[in-house]
Amino acid sequence: MEKLIVTAALTGGLHGKEANEALPEQPDEIIEDALLCGEAGAAIVHLHARDEEGRGVGDPELFARINEGIRERSDLVIQNTTGGTGIPVEKRLLALDAKPEMASLNMGTVVFFIPGDDSLSEIPFVNLRSEIELFARAMLERGIKPELEVYNPSMFGEVENLMSKGLITEPCYVNMVMNVGGMGGYPGTASNLVHMVEHLPPGAIFNVSGVGKAQLRLNMMSMAMGGHVRVGLEDSVYYWRGELAEGNAQLVARAVRLAKELGRDVATPDEARAILGLR
Ligand code: ZN
């Protein structure tokens, strides 16, 4: 099997330190955390920028600061998000101005459910086909490799649409973001993962992100199936049920140990570049 690419999703844009104090929010914290994850075996860091209050923002200067800080001290592959609920598309596009090697590209609309004390918040994350094409074109023009974020099988229709229009280059790289709590989320079961893998276009490479308690289970299944894995506090703030993770690097280190036990070597950043066809 191909070497395993471990991506660390450090911060995200939904929950923050209120969920786990170890979640890095500010640029210097994110940089230091990225370096620790690199030492633990991550090849790619998936990044969001947050303002001083910890809210996710599409701020090109913040992204540039974070990206440069990581680049100066490591050879990690940098992947900026173009997601972010409540951030207008024009702002989300600005994450590309920091010239990351990769960026996330969400392949459809979901509605996140955030359980509150006595009510449920519904947070829409809208991605229209025209917007997906806009993001894909902007990445193609800048030589940025998209990671296609697919939340359920119906979103493979958008992958096919981009391929048919020549808006993505090979190899097609899909991240299956499973177990998102909300409308459009797909439960992180074994049979659902198999079903998702069956929808992949020929020659595609896949990564799996499991939200919440599905992270560990889906990571292990993906390793055994020849896929890659994403771990990190963006997707789950826990190490075990009821036990908060000490930090992102702890989650990376566990994925690396599991891969070794399964006989799967872990890719360095340059080996990940070769697998994904990055320039
Ligand atoms: Zn993200």
Side-chain angles (χ1 to χ4, degrees):
M1 260 187 218
E2 205 166 51
K3 287 195 176 179
L4 178 79
I5 302 172
V6 179
T7 296
L10 305 181
T11 177
L14 279 174
H15 52 268
K17 285 194 185 294
E18 77 290 348
N20 185 329
E21 188 59 35
L23 186 146
E25 291 185 349
Q26 297 307 311
D28 290 344
E29 286 181 294
I30 294 172
I31 294 165
E32 293 301 327
D33 208 36
L35 298 174
L36 289 176
C37 287
E39 285 166 18
I44 301 175
V45 279
H46 168 80
L47 304 168
H48 290 240
R50 294 175 182 251
D51 65 14
E52 284 173 7
E53 276 79 53
R55 288 176 303 232
V57 284
D59 181 331
E61 284 174 18
L62 279 178
F63 272 110
R65 202 169 129 201
I66 298 165
N67 289 186
E68 279 159 24
I70 295 169
R71 247 182 237 128
E72 273 170 16
R73 294 165 60 195
S74 77
D75 64 346
L76 283 162
V77 177
I78 290 172
Q79 180 191 97
N80 287 346
T81 187
T82 61
T85 52
I87 308 175
V89 168
E90 317 81 74
K91 285 263 165 79
R92 285 163 50 196
L93 272 167
L94 297 178
L96 303 180
D97 288 351
K99 301 190 179 66
E101 284 177 88
M102 300 182 75
S104 64
L105 173 47
N106 289 280
M107 303 308 286
T109 294
V110 287
V111 180
F112 298 110
F113 291 166
I114 308 292
D117 293 340
D118 52 6
S119 65
L120 185 79
S121 299
E122 296 177 293
I123 302 179
F125 181 41
V126 177
N127 292 285
L128 305 177
R129 174 172 285 192
S130 55
E131 293 166 342
I132 294 168
E133 291 181 1
L134 182 75
F135 280 111
R137 201 166 278 117
M139 291 182 205
L140 193 62
E141 285 165 5
R142 291 164 176 80
I144 296 170
K145 178 84 180 172
E147 177 183 88
L148 307 177
E149 313 294 331
V150 171
Y151 295 72
N152 63 54
S154 78
M155 291 191 191
F156 280 105
E158 299 313 311
V159 176
E160 281 164 29
N161 176 58
L162 293 184
M163 290 178 80
S164 71
K165 291 176 176 163
L167 289 172
I168 46 174
T169 55
E170 289 184 358
C172 170
Y173 181 54
V174 172
N175 180 29
M176 298 161 181
V177 186
M178 298 181 67
N179 216 46
V180 166
M183 294 165 72
Y186 201 44
T189 64
S191 60
N192 281 353
L193 178 59
V194 170
H195 189 59
M196 290 279 268
V197 169
E198 284 169 351
H199 280 74
L200 283 169
I205 297 171
F206 73 98
N207 184 28
V208 179
S209 303
V211 174
K213 64 186 178 191
Q215 182 170 99
L216 178 60
R217 166 171 89 223
L218 288 169
N219 282 171
M220 290 195 291
M221 287 191 278
S222 182
M223 285 180 199
M225 292 166 77
H228 301 282
V229 298
R230 177 167 116 171
V231 300
L233 299 176
E234 168 170 352
D235 299 332
S236 172
V237 295
Y238 291 98
Y239 188 79
W240 296 117
R241 185 171 172 179
E243 182 186 323
L244 290 172
E246 289 167 14
N248 284 300
Q250 185 195 24
L251 297 167
V252 172
R254 176 168 66 182
V256 169
R257 284 197 308 275
L258 287 166
K260 284 185 179 152
E261 288 295 319
L262 289 169
R264 194 112 183 247
D265 289 334
V266 174
T268 63
D270 276 344
E271 287 167 342
R273 288 183 176 93
I275 292 167
L276 299 174
L278 303 184
R279 287 184 190 169

